[in-house]
Amino acid sequence: MESTSPVIRIDADSATPVHRQISDAIRALLVSRALNPGELLPPVRRLAIDLAVHFNTVAEAYRTLAEEGWLDLRRRRGALVIERPTPETAHPEAEPKFAQRLQELVAAARADGIPPGVIARHLRRNAEGLEQWSSHGW
Amino acid sequence: MESTSPVIRIDADSATPVHRQISDAIRALLVSRALNPGELLPPVRRLAIDLAVHFNTVAEAYRTLAEEGWLDLRRRRGALVIERPTPETAHPEAEPKFAQRLQELVAAARADGIPPGVIARHLRRNAEGLEQWSSHGW
């Protein structure tokens, strides 16, 4: 079984810790099914070399995703993507937290000078993508 | 001149550093004009007490916002909100970075079990808000 090397972009200038950038990027690939159960992520040391980061940084990202139920780290060869049931009901805090983070992300984009119409287009495109999933019973 | 004490919610469980949570929250208030030029934010030590965090944490958040051009920290009494022109043209990396962070935020919300339709509603509501600003020439 070949391991899949995900495309991850590290932003060294970001205030977001690198391990978090890695786990966020891989989680997005998992949710969008660009990575599927049964696939292997590269071993920690290989991904660390590919991304030019310390292996502890990758190990921490993998641990975060394993704790969330996405990965099985018991294998020596890498990290196995496992089936993770989406929680049937979200934690009551999840929606207000999401709403706040979304508002902050939009505010930062506006402060960066991205035109409001461009930001709105990205938001609508994501909304449409979600509604397609919804209508397929996912 | 009275200083304004912004409402900021700290999430101790978040992987986002607390100084970043504070600067993100204040930036959202600045962009939305809930805080306006000429207003004073509370002195570092007072906000630190209100939020039950170390004063260095608040100081770092204020420094970040000052570097971005939102605050004038030369005053002893607090941090003065100043007029910050929105950049006329965004950095070429700004839009792809925003797109990626948005995708990751949506992925995390889905992984948390928030129904896709609910996520989509928040995205559309934010898009509509932006389009209202746009049509008023902001």
Side-chain angles (χ1 to χ4, degrees), chain A residues 9 11 15-16 20 24-25 28 31 70 84 86-87 90 93-95 97-102 104-105 107 109-114 116 118-120 122-124 126-128 130-131 133-134 138, chain B residues 9 11 15-16 20 24-25 28 31 70 84 86-87 90 93-95 97-100 102 104-105 107 109-114 116 118-120 122-124 126-128 130-131 133-134 138:
Chain A
R9 210 171 42 166
D11 177 6
T16 305
R20 168 80 179 278
D24 284 351
V31 170
W70 295 106
R84 175 190 183 271
T86 302
E93 274 297 284
E95 190 185 334
K97 268 190 201 171
F98 165 70
Q100 188 188 337
R101 287 191 62 199
L102 177 61
E104 290 169 358
L105 181 62
R110 286 173 65 185
D112 279 346
I114 305 177
V118 173
I119 300 171
H122 282 285
L123 295 170
R124 286 193 189 282
N126 274 272
E128 281 156 22
L130 286 163
E131 282 152 1
W133 277 108
S134 272
W138 201 75
Chain B
R9 209 171 43 167
D11 177 6
T16 305
R20 167 80 178 278
D24 284 352
V31 169
W70 295 106
R84 174 190 184 270
T86 302
E93 274 297 285
E95 188 185 335
K97 268 189 201 171
F98 165 70
Q100 188 187 336
L102 177 61
E104 291 169 358
L105 181 61
R110 287 174 64 184
D112 280 345
I114 305 177
V118 173
I119 300 170
H122 282 285
L123 295 170
R124 286 192 191 284
N126 274 271
E128 281 157 22
L130 286 163
E131 282 152 1
W133 276 107
S134 271
W138 200 76

Coordinates of all heavy atoms in Angstrom, one line a residue, chain A residues 9 11 15-16 20 24-25 28 31 70 84 86-87 90 93-95 97-102 104-105 107 109-114 116 118-120 122-124 126-128 130-131 133-134 138, chain B residues 9 11 15-16 20 24-25 28 31 70 84 86-87 90 93-95 97-100 102 104-105 107 109-114 116 118-120 122-124 126-128 130-131 133-134 138:
Chain A
R9 N 0.7 23.6 2.3 CA 1.5 24.9 2.2 C 1.7 25.4 3.6 O 0.7 25.7 4.3 CB 0.7 25.9 1.3 CG 1.6 26.8 0.6 CD 0.8 27.6 -0.4 NE -0.4 28.1 0.2 CZ -1.2 29.0 -0.4 NH1 -0.8 29.6 -1.5 NH2 -2.3 29.4 0.2
D11 N 2.9 28.4 6.0 CA 3.2 29.9 5.9 C 4.0 30.2 7.2 O 3.5 30.3 8.3 CB 1.8 30.6 5.9 CG 2.0 32.1 6.0 OD1 3.2 32.6 5.9 OD2 1.0 32.8 6.1
A15 N 0.7 33.6 12.2 CA 0.7 33.5 13.7 C 0.2 32.1 14.1 O 0.2 31.7 15.3 CB -0.2 34.6 14.3
T16 N -0.4 31.3 13.2 CA -0.9 30.0 13.5 C 0.3 29.0 13.6 O 1.1 29.0 12.7 CB -1.8 29.5 12.4 OG1 -2.9 30.5 12.2 CG2 -2.4 28.2 12.7
R20 N -0.4 23.2 13.8 CA -1.8 23.5 13.5 C -2.1 23.7 12.0 O -3.1 23.3 11.5 CB -2.2 24.7 14.4 CG -3.5 25.3 14.1 CD -4.6 24.6 14.7 NE -5.9 25.3 14.4 CZ -6.3 26.3 15.0 NH1 -5.7 26.8 16.1 NH2 -7.5 26.9 14.7
D24 N -4.7 21.4 10.2 CA -5.9 22.1 9.5 C -5.9 21.7 8.1 O -7.0 21.4 7.5 CB -5.8 23.6 9.6 CG -6.1 24.2 11.0 OD1 -6.6 23.4 11.8 OD2 -5.9 25.4 11.2
A25 N -4.8 21.7 7.4 CA -4.7 21.3 6.0 C -5.1 19.9 5.8 O -5.9 19.6 4.8 CB -3.3 21.6 5.4
A28 N -8.9 19.3 6.3 CA -9.7 19.8 5.1 C -9.7 18.7 4.0 O -10.7 18.5 3.4 CB -9.1 21.1 4.6
V31 N -12.0 15.8 5.3 CA -13.4 16.2 5.2 C -13.9 16.2 3.8 O -15.0 15.7 3.4 CB -13.7 17.5 5.9 CG1 -15.1 18.0 5.6 CG2 -13.5 17.4 7.4
W70 N -9.4 10.7 13.2 CA -9.2 10.6 11.8 C -8.1 9.6 11.4 O -8.1 9.0 10.3 CB -8.7 11.9 11.2 CG -9.7 13.1 11.3 CD1 -9.6 14.1 12.2 CD2 -10.8 13.3 10.5 NE1 -10.7 15.0 11.9 CE2 -11.4 14.5 10.9 CE3 -11.4 12.6 9.4 CZ2 -12.6 15.0 10.3 CZ3 -12.5 13.1 8.8 CH2 -13.1 14.3 9.3
R84 N -14.2 7.8 10.2 CA -14.6 8.6 11.4 C -16.0 9.1 11.2 O -16.3 9.9 10.4 CB -13.7 9.9 11.5 CG -14.1 10.8 12.6 CD -13.3 12.1 12.5 NE -13.6 13.0 13.6 CZ -14.6 13.9 13.6 NH1 -15.4 14.0 12.5 NH2 -14.7 14.7 14.6
T86 N -19.1 11.3 11.5 CA -19.4 12.7 11.9 C -20.3 12.7 13.1 O -21.3 11.9 13.1 CB -20.0 13.4 10.7 OG1 -19.2 13.4 9.6 CG2 -20.3 14.9 11.1
P87 N -20.0 13.5 14.1 CA -20.9 13.5 15.3 C -22.3 13.8 14.9 O -22.5 14.7 14.1 CB -20.3 14.6 16.2 CG -19.0 14.9 15.7 CD -18.9 14.4 14.3
A90 N -23.8 18.3 17.1 CA -22.6 19.1 17.4 C -22.6 19.5 18.9 O -23.7 19.6 19.5 CB -22.5 20.3 16.5
E93 N -21.5 24.5 21.9 CA -20.6 25.6 21.7 C -20.1 25.7 20.3 O -19.5 26.7 19.8 CB -19.4 25.5 22.6 CG -19.6 26.1 24.0 CD -19.9 27.6 23.9 OE1 -18.9 28.3 23.7 OE2 -21.1 28.0 24.0
A94 N -20.2 24.6 19.5 CA -19.5 24.5 18.2 C -20.0 25.6 17.2 O -19.2 26.2 16.6 CB -19.7 23.1 17.6
E95 N -21.3 25.8 17.2 CA -21.9 26.7 16.2 C -21.5 28.2 16.5 O -21.0 28.9 15.7 CB -23.4 26.6 16.0 CG -23.9 27.4 14.8 CD -25.4 27.4 14.7 OE1 -26.0 26.4 15.1 OE2 -25.9 28.4 14.1
K97 N -18.9 29.2 18.2 CA -17.5 29.3 18.0 C -17.2 29.5 16.5 O -16.3 30.3 16.1 CB -16.8 28.1 18.5 CG -16.3 28.2 19.9 CD -15.4 27.0 20.2 CE -15.3 26.8 21.7 NZ -14.6 25.5 22.1
F98 N -17.9 28.6 15.7 CA -17.7 28.7 14.2 C -18.1 30.1 13.7 O -17.3 30.7 12.9 CB -18.5 27.6 13.5 CG -18.6 27.8 12.0 CD1 -17.5 27.7 11.2 CD2 -19.8 28.2 11.5 CE1 -17.6 28.0 9.8 CE2 -19.9 28.5 10.1 CZ -18.8 28.3 9.3
A99 N -19.2 30.6 14.2 CA -19.7 31.9 13.7 C -18.7 33.0 14.1 O -18.4 33.9 13.2 CB -21.0 32.2 14.4
Q100 N -18.1 32.9 15.3 CA -17.1 33.9 15.7 C -15.9 33.8 14.8 O -15.3 34.8 14.3 CB -16.8 33.7 17.1 CG -15.9 34.9 17.7 CD -15.4 34.6 19.1 OE1 -16.0 33.9 19.9 NE2 -14.3 35.3 19.5
R101 N -15.4 32.6 14.6 CA -14.1 32.4 13.8 C -14.3 32.9 12.4 O -13.5 33.5 11.8 CB -13.6 31.0 13.9 CG -13.0 30.7 15.2 CD -12.3 29.3 15.2 NE -11.1 29.3 14.3 CZ -10.6 28.2 13.8 NH1 -11.0 27.0 14.1 NH2 -9.5 28.3 13.0
L102 N -15.5 32.6 11.9 CA -15.8 33.1 10.5 C -15.8 34.6 10.4 O -15.2 35.2 9.5 CB -17.2 32.5 10.1 CG -17.7 32.9 8.7 CD1 -16.8 32.4 7.6 CD2 -19.1 32.3 8.4
E104 N -14.3 36.6 12.3 CA -12.9 37.1 12.4 C -12.1 36.9 11.2 O -11.3 37.8 10.8 CB -12.2 36.4 13.6 CG -12.8 36.9 14.9 CD -12.4 36.0 16.1 OE1 -11.6 35.0 15.9 OE2 -12.8 36.3 17.3
L105 N -12.3 35.8 10.5 CA -11.6 35.5 9.2 C -12.0 36.5 8.2 O -11.1 37.0 7.4 CB -11.9 34.1 8.8 CG -11.2 33.6 7.5 CD1 -9.7 33.6 7.7 CD2 -11.7 32.2 7.1
A107 N -13.2 39.5 8.7 CA -12.6 40.8 9.1 C -11.1 40.9 8.8 O -10.7 42.0 8.2 CB -12.8 41.0 10.7
A109 N -9.7 39.4 6.3 CA -9.6 39.4 4.9 C -9.9 40.9 4.4 O -9.2 41.4 3.5 CB -10.5 38.5 4.2
R110 N -10.9 41.5 5.0 CA -11.2 42.9 4.7 C -10.0 43.8 5.1 O -9.7 44.7 4.3 CB -12.5 43.3 5.4 CG -13.7 42.7 4.7 CD -14.9 43.0 5.5 NE -15.3 44.4 5.5 CZ -16.3 45.0 6.2 NH1 -17.0 44.2 6.9 NH2 -16.5 46.2 6.1
A111 N -9.5 43.6 6.3 CA -8.3 44.4 6.7 C -7.1 44.2 5.8 O -6.3 45.1 5.6 CB -7.9 44.0 8.1
D112 N -7.0 43.1 5.1 CA -5.9 42.8 4.2 C -6.2 43.5 2.8 O -5.3 43.4 1.9 CB -5.8 41.3 4.0 CG -5.0 40.6 5.1 OD1 -4.3 41.4 5.9 OD2 -5.0 39.4 5.2
G113 N -7.3 44.0 2.7 CA -7.6 44.7 1.4 C -8.2 43.9 0.3 O -8.4 44.3 -0.8
I114 N -8.7 42.7 0.7 CA -9.4 41.9 -0.3 C -10.8 42.5 -0.5 O -11.5 42.8 0.5 CB -9.5 40.4 0.2 CG1 -8.2 39.8 0.5 CG2 -10.3 39.5 -0.9 CD1 -8.2 38.4 1.0
P116 N -14.6 43.4 -0.7 CA -15.7 42.7 -0.1 C -16.4 41.7 -1.1 O -16.8 40.6 -0.7 CB -16.6 43.8 0.3 CG -15.8 45.0 0.5 CD -14.6 44.8 -0.5
V118 N -15.2 40.0 -3.5 CA -14.3 38.8 -3.7 C -14.5 37.9 -2.5 O -14.7 36.7 -2.7 CB -12.9 39.2 -3.9 CG1 -12.0 38.0 -4.0 CG2 -12.7 40.0 -5.2
I119 N -14.5 38.5 -1.3 CA -14.7 37.7 -0.1 C -16.1 37.0 -0.2 O -16.2 35.8 0.1 CB -14.6 38.6 1.2 CG1 -13.2 39.2 1.2 CG2 -14.9 37.7 2.4 CD1 -13.1 40.3 2.3
A120 N -17.1 37.8 -0.5 CA -18.4 37.3 -0.6 C -18.5 36.1 -1.6 O -19.2 35.1 -1.3 CB -19.4 38.4 -1.0
H122 N -16.2 33.9 -2.4 CA -15.6 32.7 -1.8 C -16.6 32.1 -0.8 O -16.8 30.9 -0.7 CB -14.3 33.0 -1.1 CG -13.2 33.2 -2.0 ND1 -12.5 32.1 -2.6 CD2 -12.5 34.3 -2.4 CE1 -11.5 32.5 -3.3 NE2 -11.5 33.8 -3.3
L123 N -17.3 33.0 0.0 CA -18.3 32.5 1.0 C -19.4 31.8 0.3 O -19.8 30.7 0.7 CB -18.8 33.7 1.8 CG -17.8 34.4 2.7 CD1 -18.4 35.7 3.3 CD2 -17.3 33.5 3.8
R124 N -19.9 32.4 -0.8 CA -21.1 31.8 -1.5 C -20.7 30.5 -2.1 O -21.4 29.5 -2.2 CB -21.6 32.7 -2.5 CG -22.4 33.9 -2.0 CD -23.1 34.6 -3.0 NE -23.7 35.8 -2.5 CZ -24.8 35.9 -1.7 NH1 -25.4 34.8 -1.5 NH2 -25.2 37.0 -1.2
N126 N -18.4 28.4 -1.1 CA -18.4 27.3 -0.1 C -19.8 26.9 0.3 O -20.0 25.7 0.6 CB -17.6 27.8 1.1 CG -16.1 27.6 1.0 OD1 -15.6 26.5 1.3 ND2 -15.4 28.5 0.4
A127 N -20.7 27.9 0.4 CA -22.0 27.6 0.8 C -22.7 26.7 -0.2 O -23.3 25.7 0.1 CB -22.9 28.9 1.0
E128 N -22.5 27.0 -1.5 CA -23.0 26.1 -2.5 C -22.5 24.7 -2.5 O -23.2 23.7 -2.6 CB -22.7 26.7 -3.9 CG -23.7 27.9 -4.3 CD -23.1 28.8 -5.3 OE1 -22.1 28.4 -6.1 OE2 -23.5 30.0 -5.3
L130 N -21.5 23.1 0.1 CA -22.1 22.4 1.3 C -23.5 22.0 1.0 O -23.9 20.9 1.4 CB -22.1 23.4 2.5 CG -20.8 23.6 3.2 CD1 -20.9 24.8 4.0 CD2 -20.4 22.4 4.0
E131 N -24.2 22.8 0.2 CA -25.6 22.5 -0.1 C -25.7 21.3 -1.1 O -26.6 20.5 -1.0 CB -26.4 23.7 -0.6 CG -26.7 24.6 0.6 CD -26.8 26.1 0.3 OE1 -26.6 26.5 -0.9 OE2 -27.1 26.9 1.2
W133 N -23.5 18.8 -1.0 CA -23.4 17.6 -0.1 C -24.7 17.3 0.6 O -25.1 16.2 0.7 CB -22.3 17.9 1.0 CG -20.9 17.7 0.6 CD1 -20.0 18.7 0.3 CD2 -20.3 16.4 0.4 NE1 -18.8 18.1 0.0 CE2 -19.0 16.7 0.0 CE3 -20.7 15.1 0.5 CZ2 -18.0 15.7 -0.3 CZ3 -19.8 14.1 0.2 CH2 -18.5 14.4 -0.2
S134 N -25.3 18.4 1.1 CA -26.6 18.2 1.9 C -27.6 17.5 1.1 O -28.2 16.6 1.6 CB -27.1 19.6 2.2 OG -26.6 20.1 3.4
W138 N -25.5 13.7 2.7 CA -24.3 13.5 3.5 C -24.3 14.3 4.8 O -24.3 15.5 4.7 CB -23.1 13.9 2.6 CG -21.8 13.3 3.2 CD1 -21.4 12.0 3.0 CD2 -20.8 13.9 3.9 NE1 -20.3 11.7 3.6 CE2 -19.8 12.9 4.2 CE3 -20.6 15.2 4.4 CZ2 -18.7 13.1 5.0 CZ3 -19.4 15.4 5.1 CH2 -18.5 14.4 5.4
Chain B
R9 N -14.2 36.7 24.1 CA -14.3 35.4 24.7 C -13.1 34.6 24.4 O -12.7 34.4 23.3 CB -15.5 34.7 24.0 CG -16.2 33.8 24.9 CD -17.5 33.2 24.3 NE -17.4 32.9 22.9 CZ -18.3 32.2 22.2 NH1 -19.4 31.8 22.8 NH2 -18.1 32.0 21.0
D11 N -11.1 31.1 24.5 CA -11.3 29.7 24.6 C -10.0 29.0 25.0 O -9.1 28.9 24.2 CB -11.8 29.2 23.2 CG -12.0 27.7 23.2 OD1 -11.8 27.1 24.2 OD2 -12.2 27.2 22.1
A15 N -6.5 25.6 20.1 CA -5.1 25.6 19.7 C -4.6 26.9 19.2 O -3.4 27.1 19.1 CB -5.0 24.6 18.5
T16 N -5.5 27.9 19.1 CA -5.1 29.3 18.7 C -4.5 29.9 19.9 O -5.2 30.0 21.0 CB -6.3 30.1 18.2 OG1 -6.9 29.3 17.1 CG2 -5.9 31.4 17.7
R20 N -3.5 35.7 20.1 CA -4.1 35.7 18.7 C -5.6 35.8 18.8 O -6.2 36.5 18.0 CB -3.6 34.5 18.0 CG -4.3 34.2 16.7 CD -3.8 35.0 15.5 NE -4.5 34.6 14.4 CZ -4.2 33.6 13.6 NH1 -3.1 32.9 13.9 NH2 -4.9 33.2 12.6
D24 N -7.5 38.8 17.1 CA -8.6 38.4 16.1 C -9.9 39.1 16.5 O -10.6 39.6 15.7 CB -8.7 36.9 16.0 CG -7.6 36.3 15.2 OD1 -6.8 37.0 14.6 OD2 -7.6 35.0 15.2
A25 N -10.2 38.9 17.8 CA -11.6 39.4 18.2 C -11.6 41.0 18.1 O -12.6 41.5 17.7 CB -11.8 39.0 19.7
A28 N -11.9 42.1 14.5 CA -13.3 42.0 14.0 C -14.1 43.2 14.4 O -14.9 43.7 13.7 CB -13.9 40.7 14.4
V31 N -13.0 46.2 12.3 CA -13.4 46.2 10.9 C -14.9 46.5 10.8 O -15.4 47.2 9.9 CB -13.1 44.8 10.3 CG1 -13.8 44.7 8.9 CG2 -11.6 44.7 10.1
W70 N -3.8 49.7 13.4 CA -5.1 49.9 14.0 C -5.0 50.8 15.3 O -6.0 51.4 15.6 CB -5.8 48.6 14.4 CG -6.1 47.7 13.3 CD1 -5.5 46.5 13.0 CD2 -7.2 47.8 12.4 NE1 -6.1 45.9 11.9 CE2 -7.2 46.7 11.6 CE3 -8.3 48.8 12.2 CZ2 -8.2 46.5 10.5 CZ3 -9.2 48.6 11.2 CH2 -9.1 47.4 10.4
R84 N -7.3 53.7 10.0 CA -6.4 52.9 9.2 C -7.0 52.7 7.8 O -8.0 52.1 7.7 CB -6.3 51.5 9.9 CG -5.5 50.5 9.1 CD -5.7 49.1 9.7 NE -4.9 48.1 9.0 CZ -5.3 47.4 7.9 NH1 -6.5 47.6 7.4 NH2 -4.5 46.5 7.4
T86 N -7.8 51.1 4.5 CA -7.8 49.7 4.0 C -6.8 49.7 2.8 O -6.9 50.6 1.9 CB -9.2 49.3 3.5 OG1 -10.0 49.4 4.6 CG2 -9.2 47.9 3.0
P87 N -5.9 48.8 2.7 CA -5.0 48.8 1.5 C -5.8 48.8 0.2 O -6.8 48.1 0.1 CB -4.2 47.4 1.7 CG -4.5 46.9 3.0 CD -5.7 47.6 3.6
A90 N -4.8 44.3 -2.4 CA -4.4 43.3 -1.5 C -3.1 42.7 -1.9 O -2.8 42.7 -3.1 CB -5.5 42.2 -1.4
E93 N -0.9 37.2 -2.3 CA -1.1 36.0 -1.6 C -2.3 36.0 -0.7 O -2.7 35.0 -0.2 CB 0.2 35.7 -0.7 CG 1.3 35.0 -1.3 CD 0.9 33.6 -1.8 OE1 0.8 32.7 -0.9 OE2 0.6 33.4 -3.0
A94 N -2.9 37.2 -0.5 CA -3.9 37.4 0.5 C -5.2 36.5 0.1 O -5.7 35.9 1.0 CB -4.3 38.8 0.7
E95 N -5.6 36.6 -1.1 CA -6.8 35.9 -1.5 C -6.7 34.4 -1.4 O -7.5 33.7 -0.8 CB -7.3 36.3 -2.9 CG -8.7 35.8 -3.2 CD -9.2 36.1 -4.6 OE1 -8.7 37.1 -5.2 OE2 -10.0 35.3 -5.1
K97 N -4.7 32.7 0.4 CA -4.6 32.3 1.9 C -5.9 32.4 2.5 O -6.3 31.5 3.3 CB -3.7 33.4 2.6 CG -2.2 33.0 2.7 CD -1.5 33.9 3.6 CE 0.0 33.9 3.3 NZ 0.7 35.0 4.1
F98 N -6.7 33.4 2.2 CA -8.1 33.5 2.7 C -8.9 32.3 2.3 O -9.6 31.6 3.1 CB -8.7 34.8 2.3 CG -10.2 34.8 2.5 CD1 -10.7 34.8 3.8 CD2 -11.1 34.7 1.5 CE1 -12.1 34.8 4.0 CE2 -12.5 34.7 1.7 CZ -13.0 34.8 2.9
A99 N -8.8 31.9 1.0 CA -9.6 30.8 0.5 C -9.2 29.5 1.2 O -10.1 28.7 1.5 CB -9.3 30.7 -1.0
Q100 N -7.9 29.3 1.5 CA -7.5 28.1 2.1 C -8.0 28.1 3.6 O -8.5 27.1 4.1 CB -6.0 28.0 2.1 CG -5.5 26.7 2.6 CD -4.0 26.6 2.7 OE1 -3.2 27.4 2.1 NE2 -3.5 25.7 3.6
L102 N -10.5 29.6 4.8 CA -12.0 29.5 4.8 C -12.4 28.0 4.6 O -13.2 27.4 5.4 CB -12.6 30.3 3.7 CG -14.1 30.2 3.5 CD1 -14.9 30.6 4.8 CD2 -14.6 31.0 2.3
E104 N -10.6 25.4 5.4 CA -10.2 24.7 6.6 C -11.2 24.9 7.7 O -11.5 24.0 8.5 CB -8.8 25.1 7.0 CG -7.7 24.6 6.0 CD -6.3 25.1 6.2 OE1 -6.2 26.0 7.2 OE2 -5.4 24.8 5.5
L105 N -11.7 26.2 7.8 CA -12.6 26.5 8.9 C -13.9 25.7 8.6 O -14.5 25.2 9.6 CB -12.9 28.0 8.9 CG -13.8 28.5 9.9 CD1 -13.3 28.2 11.3 CD2 -14.1 30.0 9.7
A107 N -14.2 22.9 6.9 CA -13.9 21.5 7.2 C -14.0 21.2 8.7 O -14.6 20.2 9.1 CB -12.6 21.1 6.6
A109 N -15.6 22.8 10.9 CA -17.0 22.9 11.4 C -17.8 21.6 11.0 O -18.6 21.1 11.8 CB -17.7 24.1 10.8
R110 N -17.6 21.1 9.8 CA -18.2 19.9 9.4 C -17.8 18.7 10.3 O -18.6 17.9 10.7 CB -17.9 19.6 7.9 CG -18.7 20.5 7.0 CD -18.3 20.3 5.6 NE -18.7 19.0 5.1 CZ -18.4 18.5 3.9 NH1 -17.7 19.3 3.1 NH2 -18.7 17.4 3.5
A111 N -16.5 18.7 10.6 CA -15.9 17.6 11.4 C -16.5 17.7 12.8 O -16.6 16.7 13.5 CB -14.4 17.7 11.4
D112 N -16.9 18.9 13.3 CA -17.4 19.1 14.6 C -18.9 18.7 14.6 O -19.5 18.7 15.7 CB -17.4 20.5 15.0 CG -16.0 20.9 15.5 OD1 -15.2 20.0 15.8 OD2 -15.7 22.1 15.7
G113 N -19.5 18.3 13.5 CA -20.9 17.9 13.4 C -21.9 19.0 13.2 O -23.1 18.7 13.3
I114 N -21.4 20.2 12.9 CA -22.4 21.2 12.6 C -23.0 20.9 11.2 O -22.3 20.6 10.2 CB -21.7 22.6 12.5 CG1 -21.0 22.9 13.8 CG2 -22.8 23.7 12.2 CD1 -20.2 24.2 13.8
P116 N -24.3 20.8 7.5 CA -23.8 21.6 6.4 C -24.8 22.8 6.1 O -24.3 23.9 5.7 CB -23.8 20.6 5.2 CG -23.7 19.2 5.8 CD -24.3 19.3 7.2
V118 N -26.5 24.5 8.1 CA -26.3 25.6 9.1 C -25.0 26.3 8.8 O -24.9 27.6 8.9 CB -26.2 25.0 10.6 CG1 -25.8 26.0 11.6 CG2 -27.5 24.3 10.9
I119 N -23.9 25.6 8.4 CA -22.7 26.2 8.0 C -22.9 27.2 6.8 O -22.5 28.3 6.8 CB -21.6 25.2 7.7 CG1 -21.3 24.3 8.9 CG2 -20.3 25.9 7.2 CD1 -20.4 23.1 8.6
A120 N -23.7 26.6 5.9 CA -24.0 27.4 4.6 C -24.7 28.7 5.0 O -24.5 29.7 4.4 CB -24.7 26.5 3.7
H122 N -24.5 30.5 7.7 CA -23.6 31.5 8.2 C -22.8 32.1 7.1 O -22.5 33.3 7.1 CB -22.7 30.8 9.3 CG -23.3 30.6 10.6 ND1 -23.5 31.6 11.5 CD2 -23.8 29.5 11.2 CE1 -24.1 31.2 12.6 NE2 -24.2 29.9 12.5
L123 N -22.3 31.3 6.2 CA -21.5 31.8 5.1 C -22.3 32.8 4.3 O -21.8 33.9 3.9 CB -21.1 30.6 4.2 CG -20.1 29.6 4.8 CD1 -19.9 28.4 3.9 CD2 -18.7 30.2 5.1
R124 N -23.6 32.4 3.9 CA -24.4 33.3 3.1 C -24.7 34.6 3.9 O -24.7 35.7 3.3 CB -25.7 32.7 2.8 CG -25.6 31.6 1.7 CD -26.9 31.2 1.2 NE -26.7 30.0 0.3 CZ -26.3 30.0 -0.9 NH1 -25.9 31.2 -1.5 NH2 -26.1 28.9 -1.6
N126 N -22.8 36.1 6.1 CA -21.6 37.0 6.0 C -21.5 37.6 4.6 O -21.1 38.7 4.4 CB -20.4 36.2 6.4 CG -20.1 36.2 7.9 OD1 -19.5 37.0 8.4 ND2 -20.7 35.2 8.6
A127 N -21.8 36.8 3.6 CA -21.7 37.3 2.2 C -22.6 38.4 2.0 O -22.3 39.5 1.4 CB -21.9 36.1 1.2
E128 N -23.9 38.3 2.5 CA -24.9 39.4 2.3 C -24.4 40.6 3.0 O -24.5 41.7 2.5 CB -26.2 38.9 2.9 CG -27.0 38.0 1.9 CD -28.0 37.1 2.6 OE1 -28.4 37.5 3.7 OE2 -28.3 36.1 2.0
L130 N -21.4 41.6 3.5 CA -20.3 42.2 2.7 C -20.9 43.0 1.5 O -20.4 44.0 1.2 CB -19.4 41.2 2.3 CG -18.5 40.6 3.3 CD1 -17.8 39.3 2.9 CD2 -17.4 41.6 3.7
E131 N -21.9 42.4 0.9 CA -22.5 43.0 -0.3 C -23.2 44.3 0.1 O -23.2 45.2 -0.7 CB -23.3 42.0 -1.0 CG -22.4 41.0 -1.8 CD -23.0 39.6 -2.1 OE1 -24.2 39.4 -1.6 OE2 -22.4 38.8 -2.7
W133 N -22.2 46.3 2.5 CA -21.1 47.3 2.6 C -20.6 47.8 1.2 O -20.4 48.9 0.9 CB -19.8 46.7 3.3 CG -19.9 46.7 4.7 CD1 -20.1 45.6 5.6 CD2 -19.7 47.8 5.6 NE1 -20.1 46.0 6.9 CE2 -19.9 47.4 6.9 CE3 -19.5 49.2 5.4 CZ2 -19.7 48.2 8.0 CZ3 -19.3 50.0 6.5 CH2 -19.5 49.5 7.8
S134 N -20.5 46.8 0.3 CA -20.0 47.1 -1.1 C -20.9 48.1 -1.7 O -20.4 49.0 -2.3 CB -20.1 45.8 -1.9 OG -18.9 45.1 -1.8
W138 N -18.2 51.2 0.5 CA -17.1 51.0 1.5 C -16.1 50.1 1.0 O -16.4 48.9 0.8 CB -17.7 50.6 2.8 CG -16.8 50.9 3.9 CD1 -16.6 52.1 4.5 CD2 -16.0 49.9 4.6 NE1 -15.7 52.0 5.5 CE2 -15.3 50.7 5.6 CE3 -15.7 48.6 4.5 CZ2 -14.4 50.1 6.5 CZ3 -14.8 48.0 5.4 CH2 -14.2 48.8 6.4

